[in-house]
Amino acid sequence: MVYLTRKEHFNAAHRLYKADWSDEKNEEVFGKCSNKNWHGHNYDLYVTVKGEPNEDTGFILNVKDLSRIIREQVVRHIDHKNLNIDVEFMQGIQPSVENLAIAIWKRLDGKIPAGRLHCIKLYETESIYVEYYGN
Ligand code: NI
């Protein structure tokens, strides 16, 4: 079994808050990420697919196809968008890096033509990232 990873990048704005909490409580729980006037992150997305190399090509799948699928299913919907407002698949979901990674998994699962989706690794900052393996 070989694990193949494609890296993509996007920028997005968000605000972490609960509407029924006070400003003080939102600030206490979410810190800077609860800023009322939004803020952005530069996200790095690593999508890992696992499988066996094809005998003829030596590829699990063509990375160009993988990149196209990630862009079509994920990046074009969220790049330079506000995750709270603009992104249909994030509606009603707290746009934390954890929830965003799960949502990205759901967008890609079943769309990979060869091999199987193994991991979504998503960096929100240089020092914070999450990994999601589908459960
Ligand atoms: Ni934030």
Side-chain angles (χ1 to χ4, degrees):
M1 189 75 74
V2 184
Y3 297 78
L4 171 72
T5 300
R6 171 74 198 190
K7 180 186 177 187
E8 300 287 345
H9 181 82
F10 59 92
N11 307 304
H14 76 169
R15 180 189 177 202
L16 301 182
Y17 74 108
K18 294 268 298 173
D20 55 342
W21 288 0
S22 67
D23 290 350
E24 291 73 24
K25 181 157 184 192
N26 275 308
E27 168 79 29
E28 183 190 315
V29 173
F30 297 116
K32 285 183 189 172
C33 276
S34 76
N35 178 36
K36 277 185 180 173
N37 292 324
W38 318 105
H39 64 280
H41 292 283
N42 298 311
Y43 292 92
D44 282 324
L45 170 63
Y46 295 81
V47 175
T48 301
V49 173
K50 66 180 172 185
E52 298 295 344
N54 177 281
E55 258 183 46
D56 296 324
T57 63
F59 301 155
I60 299 168
L61 79 168
N62 189 314
V63 285
K64 282 185 186 167
D65 292 336
L66 179 58
S67 179
R68 180 179 47 76
I69 291 162
I70 298 167
R71 288 178 199 196
E72 282 174 3
Q73 294 297 322
V74 177
V75 174
R76 78 182 175 89
H77 300 278
I78 56 183
D79 188 32
H80 287 73
K81 300 286 171 62
N82 183 318
L83 299 174
N84 298 72
I85 296 171
D86 299 325
V87 181
E88 202 174 318
F89 65 79
M90 290 301 290
Q91 289 307 300
I93 298 171
Q94 188 74 261
S96 63
V97 66
E98 293 91 331
N99 282 339
L100 187 54
I102 293 169
I104 289 170
W105 175 285
K106 288 178 179 167
R107 295 287 300 173
L108 292 174
D109 192 26
K111 306 273 189 342
I112 309 294
R116 287 217 337 260
L117 188 59
H118 173 67
C119 178
I120 299 298
K121 183 172 180 177
L122 183 62
Y123 277 79
E124 190 176 65
T125 71
E126 278 184 11
S127 50
I128 296 174
Y129 68 89
V130 300
E131 292 166 291
Y132 184 61
Y133 296 88
N135 51 47

